Amino acid sequence: MLKSELPAHLIRHATLRQLQVFEAIVRLGSFTRAAEELHLTQPTVSIQIKKLSSALGLPLFEYVGRRASPTEVGLLLYDTCREMLGALTNLEMKLAEMHGLKRGRLRLAVITTAQYFAPSILGQFARRYPDVELSLEVSNFDRVLDRLANNDDDLYIIGHVPERLTDVAVYPFAPNPLVVMASRDHPLAGRRNIPLQELEQENFLMREPGSGIRESTLKLFQEHGINPRVRMELGSNEAIKQAVIGGLGISVLSLHTLSAEGAEGPVALLDVEHFPIHRQWHIVHPRQKVLSVVAQTFLDFAIQDEARLRNQIEDMLAAFKAQADAGQGPSAG
């Protein structure tokens, strides 16, 4: 087959459905997961890939045991599928917008701490645009950066933006204060204006290395010549909260992690000098990425929703302060 004949050959012998199935398999890394996402049976998925491979005249996957990995031809086809299906999806969204509708799909990936508020934004968005299909991926910071590098999603929510991320568009959109947490019966609970140096005597519970919260905390301590005593490193905010409640130590986490419990929960905020550490949430995407109509609509919506999130944070801080003021703790000189 001559190279010039290939496009016409594919148009005659390959279908958009086959390309959609193939793209889903590579993106999800599984025939089974692709079948589930597309609401197809696994035999149907296998048949579609067999027909597509036949149309190309080359294998699309190589098999090692039960694992299927795309061949070199498969990787080339995957890039083309992403561009083509993305363009078609965007066209469909624009046509729907011309009819006064917003429909399509939004893929959002967020770091674990953002799970405490991202569903709220998505819920507000879904009520306004009920025809949009939503997908939320929650993972650790490194994994979200991997997804960003692979362009696996439409938009990404992260805390700090590393300096090495030079080829991304960044939109600050909501406050993310970092606070010092302790159990309610901790000796420092209820005290006022606790000197930062006193924390050097405490057992700290910290996120794993690479965490943005950990980096911000250690940076502040380093600036003031403090060497914190790290008792435990844990991989999730919830694990740290339970360890704090259990009296294993104190920790610095985003105030958002207490959004469910609030000031009446089992965790106290310590009134420590230089806290809260004021940070921002950011929505990011590859700089060269052309956002779909739905992704751009969500980006605009989230930025406009900042006032609501800011008010929630201010209300939480005020509630914790009021509860502390009602306590009996002595003031620090």
Side-chain angles (χ1 to χ4, degrees), residues 15 18 21 25 31 40-54:
T15 68
Q18 290 168 1
V21 169
I25 293 171
F31 277 64
L40 298 173
T41 65
Q42 193 161 339
T44 299
V45 167
S46 298
I47 291 172
Q48 296 288 346
I49 293 303
K50 184 177 181 180
K51 290 180 177 179
L52 181 58
S53 180
S54 177

Side-chain angles (χ1 to χ4, degrees), residues 125-197:
F125 184 75
R127 281 189 283 275
R128 182 174 297 184
Y129 304 108
D131 293 326
V132 173
E133 182 182 350
L134 302 174
S135 171
L136 177 63
E137 177 75 21
V138 180
S139 193
N140 63 36
F141 184 72
D142 288 338
R143 178 59 183 148
V144 170
L145 290 189
D146 287 342
R147 296 183 68 88
L148 172 64
N150 294 330
N151 194 26
D152 288 335
D153 312 276
D154 296 304
L155 295 167
Y156 307 81
I157 296 180
I158 59 177
H160 79 296
V161 181
E163 292 182 0
R164 66 180 184 274
L165 289 186
T166 58
D167 199 25
V168 296
V170 180
Y171 306 88
F173 83 104
N176 179 26
L178 305 184
V179 294
V180 186
M181 302 181 181
S183 61
R184 288 214 170 276
D185 59 355
H186 192 281
L188 294 179
R191 281 187 52 185
R192 298 294 174 271
N193 302 319
I194 301 167
L196 189 64
Q197 286 71 18

Side-chain angles (χ1 to χ4, degrees), residues 270-304:
L270 300 186
D271 183 16
V272 180
E273 291 178 335
H274 306 293
F275 281 91
I277 299 175
H278 295 286
R279 300 206 314 169
Q280 287 283 112
W281 287 109
H282 302 87
I283 299 178
V284 302
H285 65 77
R287 191 180 302 276
Q288 302 303 319
K289 183 183 184 73
V290 178
L291 294 183
S292 69
V293 173
V294 167
Q296 184 64 57
T297 301
F298 177 80
L299 176 60
D300 296 339
F301 180 89
I303 292 173
Q304 293 169 5

